[in-house]
Amino acid sequence: NLIFIASLLLGTTITISSNHWITAWMGLEINTLAILPLISKSHHPRAIEAATKYFLTQAAASALVLFSSMTNAWSTGQWDITQLTHPTSCLILTSAVAMKLGLVPFHFWFPEVLQGSPLTTGLLLSTLMKLPPITLLYMTSPSLNPTLLTTLAILSAALGGWMGLNQTQIRKILAFSSISHLGWMAIIIIYNPKLTLLNFYLYTMMTAAVFLTLNTIKVLKLSTLMTTWTKTPSLNAMLLLTLLSLAGLPPLTGFLPKWLIIQELTKQDMAPAAMLISLLSLLSLFFYLRLAYCTAITLPPHTTNHMKQWRTNKSTNITIAMLTTMSIM
């Protein structure tokens, strides 16, 4: 585990600090290879399937990254990441990064992989593994195609909201929530890349709070979430607020990036796009509300055919406490 986590951090660091396309590609490869054992370590058929799907998509995306950088080097004669000027290689790079991130229309692998991996690995997959591709987008953002990225972003927000509506598995719901958040990040990357990074950091914080809370109360399905209020009642009440923060409701942390992004889009004369993506985030608000409802509002008397859980008197982890506090203040 130490080796794998060290390799993860190493691959991420190599990618975000590189200037040359080959070193960026190498960091992405180290990342992919280090997360595979973490996905498949339970040896369940579902986990092995998830690892295989993850490996195939990431290998295809890495090949596309190499292909776009070679096309660019072939036409301009230099390998600098910030100098990606050739339009074709910009398009190929955008699709490769979309495949790495799980933006629509390359999103099909992400819910499946997240569903097959344990909660802590799912946290790594939806936060740390998204950082290198987002930094690549950040560094190449001046030369990317605005129409393509806006289309991808609005589609991601739409499908992330729609496909999450009828899920009962919590990891899949969180995967679709990640897809719609990535849509918010992709729509602003050309106009104000710093806002993308801000959105990513806050999203990472809130997702970490949710995943670690779920890992503490050992919950994977909505039906078992209904009976966990007996385990750690205070933590469940806080999970309600963290979920609403992830949905982006005003007094909480998650509202800040959405507000700034809408403001920036209106400055760029993209009010229709801002209106559309705000309306589409209402779709994901629905399933966050459903999670919150199952967490804290289904108190007795109500009928479930599940056994009540014993209350654990182990105290909550300090990291969860800090992350939750930052997510709702």
Side-chain angles (χ1 to χ4, degrees):
N1 265 357
L2 184 67
I3 293 179
F4 298 145
I5 289 168
S7 309
L8 267 181
L9 294 172
L10 172 77
T12 307
T13 317
I14 288 179
T15 304
I16 65 183
S17 57
S18 60
N19 287 318
H20 195 287
W21 273 112
I22 297 293
T23 45
W25 169 80
M26 190 172 68
L28 290 171
E29 285 296 298
I30 293 174
N31 248 355
T32 305
L33 292 177
I35 197 89
L36 285 174
L38 294 179
I39 300 176
S40 60
K41 73 178 171 200
S42 65
H43 297 298
H44 191 272
R46 214 35 223 278
I48 306 294
E49 181 193 354
T52 313
K53 284 177 179 170
Y54 185 76
F55 174 71
L56 290 173
T57 47
Q58 299 298 310
S62 289
L64 278 179
V65 167
L66 266 187
F67 183 51
S68 81
S69 53
M70 281 168 66
T71 315
N72 188 57
W74 183 44
S75 62
T76 62
Q78 34 110 23
W79 286 89
D80 197 7
I81 291 186
T82 48
Q83 305 290 323
L84 189 75
T85 46
H86 196 253
T88 317
S89 46
C90 285
L91 291 177
I92 299 172
L93 179 84
T94 310
S95 57
V97 171
M99 204 186 280
K100 282 247 173 234
L101 287 172
L103 279 170
V104 175
F106 308 107
H107 64 287
F108 294 100
W109 62 274
F110 189 50
E112 299 287 326
V113 170
L114 215 59
Q115 179 57 33
S117 50
L119 278 170
T120 40
T121 311
L123 172 63
L124 283 178
L125 273 173
S126 49
T127 56
L128 189 68
M129 302 302 286
K130 303 264 188 266
L131 183 59
I134 282 181
T135 41
L136 285 183
L137 274 188
Y138 182 90
M139 288 190 279
T140 55
S141 61
S143 50
L144 296 176
N145 183 352
T147 325
L148 174 68
L149 270 173
T150 311
T151 316
L152 287 182
I154 287 177
L155 281 175
S156 295
L159 280 171
W162 262 314
M163 294 175 75
L165 291 182
N166 57 355
Q167 302 292 338
T168 56
Q169 297 284 343
I170 293 183
R171 283 170 295 184
K172 278 197 174 173
I173 291 182
L174 285 168
F176 287 118
S177 106
S178 176
I179 291 172
S180 55
H181 272 274
L182 282 170
W184 279 90
M185 290 175 220
I187 199 166
I188 201 69
I189 185 86
I190 300 179
Y191 307 109
N192 195 340
K194 287 193 172 60
L195 274 187
T196 300
L197 287 188
L198 171 80
N199 195 348
F200 177 71
Y201 296 146
L202 292 180
Y203 161 74
T204 301
M205 191 175 72
M206 297 182 290
T207 312
V210 171
F211 267 106
L212 291 173
T213 307
L214 294 173
N215 194 35
T216 307
I217 56 183
K218 298 278 181 287
V219 160
L220 297 174
K221 288 203 298 292
L222 281 179
S223 52
T224 47
L225 187 61
M226 287 189 188
T227 57
T228 50
W229 59 269
T230 49
K231 266 190 180 179
T232 46
S234 52
L235 189 61
N236 259 29
M238 287 325 240
L239 178 61
L240 166 86
L241 287 174
T242 317
L243 285 166
L244 293 182
S245 172
L246 206 50
L249 289 189
L252 307 165
T253 310
F255 175 61
L256 172 73
K258 285 191 165 51
W259 184 30
L260 293 173
I261 286 175
I262 289 172
Q263 186 187 2
E264 182 65 32
L265 284 175
T266 10
K267 277 184 198 163
Q268 301 284 348
D269 290 338
M270 290 177 65
M275 188 181 75
L276 195 55
I277 201 166
S278 319
L279 287 175
L280 289 171
S281 73
L282 290 177
L283 286 169
S284 45
L285 174 67
F286 178 80
F287 58 75
Y288 290 123
L289 275 178
R290 193 164 77 184
L291 274 173
Y293 179 78
C294 290
T295 308
I297 313 177
T298 50
L299 295 186
H302 72 106
T303 52
T304 62
N305 47 8
H306 277 276
M307 292 172 65
K308 294 281 184 290
Q309 317 255 357
W310 285 97
R311 180 184 292 225
T312 52
N313 46 11
K314 66 168 195 266
S315 61
T316 308
N317 200 332
I318 182 76
T319 41
I320 302 182
M322 281 164 50
L323 284 167
T324 308
T325 313
M326 290 196 299
S327 304
I328 63 183
M329 296 300 187

